[in-house]
């Protein structure tokens, strides 16, 4: 439902282009459906992003290539990575400046004051700061500010419910400072 939504994809492209042009990199764009990653990559290139500045990784990408992209992204050699859910759990990427949640999701119910685990995982992967540059150990006392773009999808009742769950989850996490931004 969101993969081929032209207005939503245009807004994602404009957000990424704005951050890219302002030098706010690295930018991580999370998608769920492989086709969506291809659509977004083409839109980014059409909007003016150099094709060499974008990498796209998903489950079919060779593990060696995924590791190479992760290292280059962490070292800021690649400004933009589009990634499927393979980067949601188990990979910390503390160098991210901008996270674009293009994947939607959030269909699970929020229970007992706890948010949706997948939402917390995605954002948590990028807000951890390493003790030293290039190291894996995390400095839990050092604050890291990451701009997270998420989209309130109200074109279908399921997408609306998912969006409401995601945004409620953000508000439940003390480490997440959420500001709503109106966008034309």
């Amino acid at each position: 439902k969101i993969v081929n939504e032209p207005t939503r994809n245009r807004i994602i492209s404009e957000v990424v282009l704005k951050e890219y042009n302002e030098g706010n990199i690295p930018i991580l764009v999370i998608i769920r459906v492989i086709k969506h990653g291809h659509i977004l990559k083409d839109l980014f290139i059409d909007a003016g992003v150099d094709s060499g500045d974008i990498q796209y990784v998903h489950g079919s990408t060779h593990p060696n290539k995924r590791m190479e992209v992760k290292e280059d992204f962490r070292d800021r050699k690649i400004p933009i990575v589009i990634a499927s859910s393979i980067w949601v759990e188990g990979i910390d990427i503390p160098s991210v400046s901008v996270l674009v949640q293009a994947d939607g999701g959030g269909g699970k119910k929020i229970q007992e004051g706890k948010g949706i685990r997948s939402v917390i995982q995605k954002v948590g992967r990028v807000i951890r700061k390493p003790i030293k540059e290039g190291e894996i150990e995390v400095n839990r006392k050092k604050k890291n500010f990451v701009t997270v773009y998420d989209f309130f999808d109200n074109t279908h009742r399921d997408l609306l419910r998912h969006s409401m769950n995601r945004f409620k989850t953000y508000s439940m996490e003390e480490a997440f400072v959420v500001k709503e931004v109106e966008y034309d």
Side-chain angles (χ1 to χ4, degrees):
K1 297 173 184 168
I2 62 175
V3 171
N4 293 308
E5 201 338 278
T7 302
R8 188 179 193 278
N9 288 337
R10 177 188 52 81
I11 291 170
I12 292 168
S13 179
E14 289 173 0
V15 162
V16 168
L17 184 65
K18 173 188 156 295
E19 295 291 347
Y20 173 78
N21 286 337
E22 290 178 5
N24 298 325
I25 57 171
I27 302 166
L28 176 61
V29 180
I30 300 290
I31 53 92
R32 183 179 311 264
V33 178
I34 291 175
K35 179 181 175 185
H36 198 200
H38 292 295
I39 290 169
L40 292 175
K41 183 176 180 180
D42 289 343
L43 284 173
F44 299 165
I45 292 168
D46 290 346
V49 175
D50 185 298
S51 63
D53 285 350
I54 307 170
Q55 288 291 324
Y56 175 33
V57 293
H58 47 79
S60 299
T61 305
H62 192 279
N64 291 342
K65 177 66 174 176
R66 290 195 310 239
M67 184 58 71
E68 176 187 326
V69 169
K70 179 186 169 213
E71 290 172 7
D72 286 348
F73 190 59
R74 183 191 62 221
D75 295 340
R76 297 178 179 261
K77 294 177 185 174
I78 301 170
I80 301 169
V81 169
I82 302 168
S84 70
S85 59
I86 60 166
W87 273 19
V88 173
E89 292 190 33
I91 296 180
D92 289 326
I93 308 176
S95 61
V96 169
S97 294
V98 178
L99 172 65
V100 179
Q101 301 241 83
D103 64 338
K108 295 192 178 176
K109 290 185 180 181
I110 296 174
Q111 299 176 6
E112 298 177 26
K114 293 188 179 195
I116 302 166
R117 184 176 185 271
S118 64
V119 172
I120 296 166
Q121 285 285 341
K122 282 185 264 186
V123 176
R125 295 287 150 212
V126 300
I127 64 170
R128 296 182 177 128
K129 273 294 187 200
I131 291 174
K132 291 183 183 172
E133 193 64 35
E135 288 191 5
I136 296 174
E137 273 193 74
V138 175
N139 181 345
R140 298 195 185 277
K141 294 178 183 173
K142 187 174 182 180
K143 292 194 184 250
N144 182 21
F145 296 95
V146 177
T147 301
V148 177
Y149 288 93
D150 198 337
F151 305 89
F152 199 86
D153 299 303
N154 61 2
T155 58
H156 185 274
R157 71 174 197 268
D158 290 339
L159 295 176
L160 177 61
R161 181 175 46 84
H162 295 180
S163 294
M164 289 169 54
N165 287 348
R166 288 194 313 274
F167 283 86
K168 186 170 184 180
T169 298
Y170 296 140
S171 69
M172 297 167 102
E173 291 296 313
E174 289 181 20
F176 300 171
V177 178
V178 178
K179 296 178 184 177
E180 186 175 332
V181 177
E182 295 291 325
Y183 197 86
D184 296 330

